[in-house]
Amino acid sequence: MIEDTGLGEQAPAPLWPFALEIYARPGVAALCLEAQDRAGADVPLLLWGAWAAAGGRVLTDADVNAARALADQWRGPVITPLRQARRALKNLAGGEALRQTVKAAELEAERLYLAALEALSAGWPAPPGPCPVPWATALRDNLARLLPPDAGPVTERLHKALS
């Protein structure tokens, strides 16, 4: 998703609505969760990488390192404990109301994490020339940088689901 800035330039759409839209595509949520549960992937990072690709951006080592530093601030101390609590409450009798509250908190934490990831793009230069890197190429490269090397099969399936 790209938006016209009205100045003859194009800018990426805001990350949160992009992430919601792309996550809702058929098969994407299941593949993201598979990558998360089986390969230790960070779903917000994957969505950020797809968003960057939609803007013609192939992530650099500096981009990935800055994003992983943010991930360390959000995932371990905030999002993972909320996810664990939500999953634990699923099987407890009478815990559904609390589970929904924790789920809402987890979603809000992910939204704030994505906002921090989006802020990283503020310093990105505009794509070179009138023709940025094609979406499919940038997406493949970005997913490969953000998923563990042993996640090849899920990387390919996720690339297909997002393309």
Side-chain angles (χ1 to χ4, degrees), residues 113-162:
Y113 173 27
L114 283 166
L117 287 168
E118 182 175 6
L120 290 177
S121 72
W124 288 350
C131 189
V133 176
W135 154 258
T137 302
L139 180 62
R140 183 177 309 280
D141 289 350
N142 291 352
L143 290 176
R145 284 183 169 277
L146 295 169
L147 283 162
D150 61 345
V154 74
T155 303
E156 188 58 34
R157 291 194 331 265
L158 188 55
H159 180 265
K160 286 179 183 177
L162 292 170

Side-chain angles (χ1 to χ4, degrees), residues 21-31 157-158 160-162:
E21 179 207 318
I22 206 156
Y23 194 78
R25 289 183 182 178
V28 171
L31 287 167
R157 291 194 331 265
L158 188 55
K160 286 179 183 177
L162 292 170

